[in-house]
Amino acid sequence: MLTKRIIPCLDVRNRKVTKGVRFQGNVDLGDPIEMAIAYSEGGCDELVFYDITASAENRQIDIGMVREVARAIHIPFAVGGGIRDLDDMQEVLLAGAEKVSINSLAVENPSIIAEGARVFGRQCIVLGMDPVANPDRRRFPSGYEITIRGFRQRTGLDALEWARRAEDLGVGEIVVNSVDTDGTRDGYELNLTRLIATNVGVPVVASGGAGNPRHLVEVLTKGRADAAIIASIVHSGEYTIAQIKEELARAGVPVRKKW
Amino acid sequence: MSESFTETLHINRHRLIAIIDYKAGNLTSVRLAFEHIGAECAITSDPTVIASADRVVFPGVGAAGEAMRNLQRLGLVDVIRQAAQSGRPFLGICLGTQIILDHSQEDGGTKCLGLLPGEVRRFAPADPECKIPHMGWNAVRIVKPHPLFEGIEDGSEFYFVHSYYPAPSDEKYILGETDYADVRFASVIGHANIVATQFHPERSGRIGLRMLANFVRWDGKC
């Protein structure tokens, strides 16, 4: 049986892993390579790295770091933040990343999804989306609007329509990162996650709001997610990946138990 | 000094693993995994390097049709066939595992290399919520002992990403099985000096590295 993936997210700024709430108040947590090794050996199923300042500084992602990660761990990892074009995607993938994650770029230039899927294969192309609740059901039938640029800019796009369109264009996976729950540790946005997960044919990764293992159980069962991204719940040292997986297994969620 | 020249200088042909590059996906992780376990390897499209390497890895990600066209364009079909028949250890990974069979349903039907008898089928789950591609970690049940499995527990999980699966024509070629999308498919196949995994051992953590180390130690006999 295919297991549900647990994916620690490492937000990186100046080669340090950092964590904030709603992209603000960031504090440094440690070295990305050391943390990647620790999580990989601790039983995570995949990792995701976001270069959180590359985009704002209009510079290329830290390729040196991607190379070091690829040398240090031998499980899949995705890289996002500051991807500007196909050349950037190629460089990240050739450096050893399994997947490349795009967000604002895909909204501003949707054809990059189709181009990336054609050149590198759709399994490499991850769409990150940052939806925020919007009660205007006439404009947003799903009840959620897509934001970009680190939640700062609204797009007028309905979350579900965008997810379906991105799937048609060729994304291999969709990360649904709820603006409303990101960093709150109050649980994932279950309705939103389920809505996307049950209406697209590609895997959906839930993100934003994990505060305890129960939250993962909920989003991987009721929320129908295929995978869950976690951050402060493990960065803080409060829980280990193994503890989270034990709780998931007890609740009947299939997880990888040997590593 | 060019990188390829530097690489050539360090090649010890008697211990070299040739990772065949036929423009089907990214081979960096395969190379890094072999380097991690101390094996000497080179990513190559050069038939003479492949012909003289003492083991061959045939990886690949992507579509069968384009992969076969690339192999023909690069003039690699014969050297791969020779490697498979030479008795030298031969490891297929993912798309490489599929196109060593006779035929694939992909791209409107693609004639493949026919190194092992069988075909490649598309997952067709009844449940519309069953996601394709099959992406993530899934268990491999060992159905036939093989040196590749040494030290690996039955039921260990490996990392998969694929929409089509290998279906050898005879059970005797099935070494390991995995369940997904209403089918029990052959996730490890092999015969004589050929062994091939649908999953990515290079992306499957410590257990995957163990499998690659087993391949590096294997003499190509069962």
Side-chain angles (χ1 to χ4, degrees), chain A residues 16 34 60 68 88 95 101 103 110 114 139 187 191 204 219 229 233 243:
Chain A
K16 290 279 177 207
E34 284 171 18
Q60 197 194 25
E68 279 188 47
D88 282 353
S101 181
N103 187 325
R139 289 179 64 211
N191 290 332
V204 165
V219 84
I229 282 179
I233 176 177
Q243 286 167 336

Side-chain angles (χ1 to χ4, degrees), chain B residues 85-108:
Chain B
Q85 290 163 354
S86 67
R88 290 177 287 155
F90 184 104
L91 173 66
I93 299 175
C94 196
L95 182 62
T97 295
Q98 297 182 0
I99 60 181
I100 64 173
L101 294 169
D102 294 316
H103 185 267
S104 171
Q105 290 179 348
E106 195 167 15
D107 296 322

